[in-house]
Amino acid sequence: MASSSDVTSSADNTPENPESGSVPEASETPDGPARRGRVRARRAAVMAVPATLVAGALAVLTAEGALGVQFAISGMPFTVTATELNGTGFEQFGGLDEMAPGSPNAGDTGGQVLVVTSAIKNATLTKLCQSVDLGGTNLLITAGGGSEKVTAVDLTTDSTELSGNAAFNNIEIGNDASTLTKAGVKGPIGVFSQQADTVHIANLRQTNYATTAGVFRLPGLKLRFSGSGCP
């Protein structure tokens, strides 16, 4: 466990030694040993994510056995940006998202996406932008560009890429994900995680596969099609 009144890091680090450490056994599935092997290998990669990677940015959100995304993802990634995010009650850990059986977006992944799950109890975002590439055009959503900011309660996101300038208060790095307490979300036992009292991220940019929130308020909401995505 480590603590700090203000911890910053860049998101340029990459996972190291993804095959090291103790790996939880995957549950039995109808697909047999080959599927279980893929799950074990991916969980090994999740557990090996270094603290410097996850401490460098916001990530969001779910793992097998965790509260968070409880639906089959489409498998289409979307971009989220904000000029500023402030949150209280922050947690972060690795996980796997699942597509619906037979999804055309599965490719050679087996319908699974390795993600970093982030949970924030209460969050505010300035100049939120979300875009989805539909092939030739983008579905673009913007909000919080005026005097009112976007607010969210029990916000979780599942990300594969993220960047920004981050600062945390009273951060704890290396927790078992099943013991987290700051945001009310618990991950699988034996999985690496971190948590903090507060999080601040400037120039946030994420590639997400899922987002959930108990309450999500978007003042100044605009939804439209555009030739380009979020800047």
Side-chain angles (χ1 to χ4, degrees):
M1 178 185 300
S3 63
S4 170
S5 62
D6 185 19
V7 178
T8 60
S9 172
S10 92
D12 294 330
N13 296 294
T14 57
E16 299 174 357
N17 302 322
E19 298 169 358
S20 66
S22 174
V23 182
E25 290 294 323
S27 59
E28 291 289 333
T29 71
D31 299 283
R35 180 179 175 85
R36 293 197 301 270
R38 288 197 300 270
V39 172
R40 286 196 296 268
R42 288 175 181 174
R43 283 187 175 173
V46 169
M47 294 170 63
V49 173
T52 52
L53 173 68
V54 288
L58 172 72
V60 225
L61 296 191
T62 212
E64 291 181 329
L67 298 177
V69 174
Q70 297 181 10
F71 52 82
I73 63 170
S74 70
M76 297 178 64
F78 55 96
T79 299
V80 174
T81 65
T83 57
E84 186 177 51
L85 178 147
N86 287 286
T88 58
F90 173 79
E91 300 174 358
Q92 198 170 68
F93 52 90
L96 289 170
D97 280 352
E98 299 275 353
M99 300 178 203
S103 171
N105 299 318
D108 60 357
T109 67
Q112 295 179 326
V113 179
L114 180 66
V115 295
V116 178
T117 295
S118 297
I120 303 176
K121 189 64 179 176
N122 295 282
T124 61
L125 300 100
T126 303
K127 294 184 178 179
L128 175 69
C129 178
Q130 176 180 300
S131 62
V132 183
D133 186 349
L134 302 177
T137 190
N138 292 269
L139 178 60
L140 187 68
I141 298 172
T142 56
S147 59
E148 291 187 78
K149 299 180 180 180
V150 171
T151 60
V153 178
D154 295 328
L155 175 68
T156 61
T157 57
D158 287 359
S159 306
T160 55
E161 296 183 16
L162 51 97
S163 63
N165 299 312
F168 302 90
N169 284 332
N170 297 324
I171 192 169
E172 302 171 359
I173 299 172
N175 308 62
D176 187 293
S178 67
T179 67
L180 296 175
T181 60
K182 301 293 185 180
V185 176
K186 294 184 184 298
I189 190 170
V191 171
F192 179 94
S193 70
Q194 67 173 14
Q195 63 179 357
D197 287 347
T198 67
V199 56
H200 168 82
I201 300 175
N203 301 319
L204 169 68
R205 187 177 188 87
Q206 298 172 276
T207 299
N208 292 347
Y209 276 85
T211 297
T212 67
V215 177
F216 209 11
R217 295 187 175 91
L218 297 102
L221 172 67
K222 293 182 180 180
L223 185 152
R224 60 198 181 275
F225 291 103
S226 173
S228 58
C230 296

